[in-house]
């Protein structure tokens, strides 16, 4: 099997997006917003079959681990109650996609994080979603949307959430949302910066001493980390931390959302095979075709296919590692004989 660990529901039924506009407008004017609209299975099929499912099949992958549109999670918009309702309706749509295409999609939930809130509502939503069959979550390290005012991921602020992740045996992808900081472009600057910042936070702290089975995926190839691996090894040494392999790399994984062959080559040279999960972030961050190759920038499967590695290593990136990191997905697949 080929499992893409990183996909978002980016082209949605219109009524869903319209309801969100009404919800946020009502928050600004302290008004009421309409009930969530009825959306038919056909509307969902239309959006999925024209986009993610079509591309999945064209590119030769089997399944996408699928979450709500990341840039629209927008925890900085509204307050906790706005975030709770928004997360519920977004995650419910993912449930319906998975219900319509159980062989092609597995659910990962967004969380109702909010700048002033603790993690209580996020814990409740994670529990609700896992009970519906979700296999992981997206955890936003910066719910303020581009100002990094939250404590590092190693801070006790996050611990109640990690405790539930461990109890439910689900991983989190560390994933920011839209940027409300004009100095930071969302997918070009904010995403990659947040990935890199998260990794450095993990080096400075001792999170995995307290949570030895916690699993975090740092997307977009780990931000700038693989390219600067020597810097991070050296910083761990200067900070009198253990070497990176034992300090963080039993718990941290990078996906392959790197949109050119030399970048993938470097990722797979520097980072151990066991820590790499196939991902494309399709359809999302970069939608165009690379004029140098004639292929979509986010068609990352081609880059993995072209790597000079053993079949066993390629299998680990495409399937084996994802089954290890997402044991609930592995169990669901095995129950279906896959
Ligand atoms: Zn993403």
């Amino acid at each position: 099997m080929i499992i893409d660990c990183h996909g978002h529901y980016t082209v949605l039924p219109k009524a869903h997006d319209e309801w969100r506009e009404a919800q946020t407008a009502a928050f600004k004017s302290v008004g009421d917003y309409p009930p969530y609209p009825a959306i038919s299975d056909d509307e969902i099929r239309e959006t999925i079959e024209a986009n993610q499912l079509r591309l999945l099949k064209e590119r030769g992958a089997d399944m996408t681990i699928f979450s709500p549109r990341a840039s629209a999670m927008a925890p900085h918009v509204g307050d906790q109650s706005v975030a709770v309702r928004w997360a519920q309706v977004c995650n419910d749509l993912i449930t319906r996609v998975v219900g319509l295409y159980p062989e092609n999609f597995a659910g990962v939930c967004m969380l109702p994080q909010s700048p002033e809130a603790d993690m209580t509502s996020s814990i409740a939503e994670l529990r609700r979603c896992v009970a519906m069959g979700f296999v992981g979550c997206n955890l936003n390290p910066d719910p303020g949307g581009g100002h990094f005012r939250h404590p590092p991921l190693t801070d006790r602020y996050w611990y109640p959430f990690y405790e539930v992740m461990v109890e439910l045996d689900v991983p989190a992808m560390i994933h920011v949302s839209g940027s409300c900081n004009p100095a930071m472009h969302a997918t070009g600057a904010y995403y990659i910066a947040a990935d890199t910042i998260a990794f450095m936070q993990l080096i400075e702290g001792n999170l995995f001493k307290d949570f030895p089975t916690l699993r975090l995926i740092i997307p977009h190839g780990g931000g700038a980390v693989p390219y600067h691996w020597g810097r991070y090894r050296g910083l761990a040494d200067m900070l009198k931390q253990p070497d990176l392999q034992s300090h963080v790399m039993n718990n941290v994984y990078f996906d392959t959302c790197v949109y050119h062959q030399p970048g993938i080559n470097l990722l797979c040279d520097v980072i151990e095979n066991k820590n790499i999960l196939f991902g494309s972030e399709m359809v999302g961050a970069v939608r165009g075709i690379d004029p140098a190759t004639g292929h979509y920038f986010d068609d990352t499967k081609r880059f993995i296919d072209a790597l000079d590695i053993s079949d066993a290593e390629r299998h680990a990136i495409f399937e084996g590692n994802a089954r290890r990191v997402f044991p609930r997905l592995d169990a669901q697949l095995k129950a279906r004989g896959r």
Side-chain angles (χ1 to χ4, degrees):
M1 273 188 83
I2 296 181
I3 302 170
D4 183 338
C5 78
H6 188 172
H8 301 292
Y9 195 3
T10 40
V11 182
L12 291 133
K14 262 202 188 94
H16 174 81
D17 288 336
E18 285 166 4
W19 179 83
R20 172 62 167 173
E21 278 175 35
Q23 189 206 25
T24 53
F27 177 79
K28 282 176 198 148
S29 63
V30 201
D32 246 351
Y33 54 87
Y36 190 76
I39 292 172
S40 70
D41 284 353
D42 279 347
E43 287 173 87
I44 294 175
R45 283 196 193 97
E46 228 170 81
T47 56
I48 290 291
E49 290 182 11
N51 295 288
Q52 281 84 1
L53 191 59
R54 176 179 61 83
L55 291 169
L56 193 72
K57 288 183 173 167
E58 279 177 16
R59 296 176 184 182
D62 298 296
M63 169 169 258
T64 297
I65 297 178
F66 204 47
S67 60
R69 185 172 39 174
S71 62
M73 295 190 295
H76 56 274
V77 171
D79 60 10
Q80 173 82 96
S81 72
V82 169
V84 166
R85 190 71 190 112
W86 178 229
Q88 285 170 348
V89 299
C90 288
N91 291 329
D92 287 350
L93 266 192
I94 297 293
T95 305
R96 292 183 61 190
V97 172
V98 173
L100 290 169
Y101 306 99
E103 300 300 326
N104 303 112
F105 295 97
V108 156
C109 63
M110 64 177 267
L111 301 167
Q113 293 176 259
S114 188
E116 303 301 322
D118 66 12
M119 295 301 288
T120 307
S121 294
S122 293
I123 289 170
E125 182 63 5
L126 179 66
R127 287 193 185 281
R128 187 183 79 93
C129 289
V130 169
M132 294 193 294
F134 283 59
V135 300
C137 60
N138 287 337
L139 178 65
N140 188 336
D142 179 37
H147 297 288
F148 294 102
R149 295 201 180 104
H150 266 62
L153 289 166
T154 51
D155 189 271
R156 291 194 175 262
Y157 166 85
W158 305 97
Y159 273 34
F161 189 75
Y162 297 147
E163 282 163 15
V164 177
M165 279 176 61
V166 168
E167 176 201 320
L168 299 173
D169 204 11
V170 291
M173 181 174 279
I174 304 300
H175 204 310
V176 289
S177 180
S179 167
C180 57
N181 179 346
M184 257 190 262
H185 182 273
T187 51
Y190 184 34
Y191 279 26
I192 306 302
D195 302 337
T196 311
I197 288 167
F199 190 79
M200 189 63 218
Q201 291 175 354
L202 299 174
I203 293 178
E204 284 191 275
N206 286 296
L207 181 61
F208 304 121
K209 245 188 201 149
D210 289 339
F211 296 99
T213 61
L214 188 70
R215 299 179 300 285
L216 304 177
I217 301 155
I218 302 191
H220 322 112
V225 171
Y227 190 61
H228 286 286
W229 193 240
R231 173 175 293 252
Y232 294 109
R233 285 179 52 230
L235 281 165
D237 180 55
M238 275 175 64
L239 293 166
K240 310 249 181 292
Q241 295 286 39
D243 71 279
L244 292 185
Q245 294 304 338
S246 59
H247 187 43
V248 289
M249 296 309 280
N250 290 320
N251 305 79
V252 169
Y253 303 85
F254 296 155
D255 72 15
T256 64
C257 298
V258 175
Y259 295 158
H260 66 149
Q261 187 72 51
I264 292 281
N265 294 350
L266 181 138
L267 171 71
C268 295
D269 267 353
V270 171
I271 301 302
E272 269 192 62
N273 180 259
K274 72 177 174 62
N275 297 93
I276 301 174
L277 308 184
F278 170 60
S280 68
E281 198 170 39
M282 162 281 276
V283 182
V286 178
R287 298 183 184 217
I289 290 174
D290 185 345
T293 65
H295 300 287
Y296 283 100
F297 283 104
D298 64 4
D299 185 0
T300 56
K301 178 174 169 292
R302 310 173 52 81
F303 304 137
I304 313 301
D305 287 337
L307 282 172
D308 184 19
I309 55 176
S310 70
D311 288 348
E313 287 172 316
R314 211 178 319 275
H315 176 265
I317 292 174
F318 276 142
E319 177 181 352
N321 294 343
R323 283 181 182 259
R324 256 191 316 116
V325 174
F326 293 89
R328 283 179 178 268
L329 173 63
D330 185 47
Q332 288 172 9
L333 291 171
K334 282 182 177 147
R336 296 204 299 268
R338 295 187 80 177

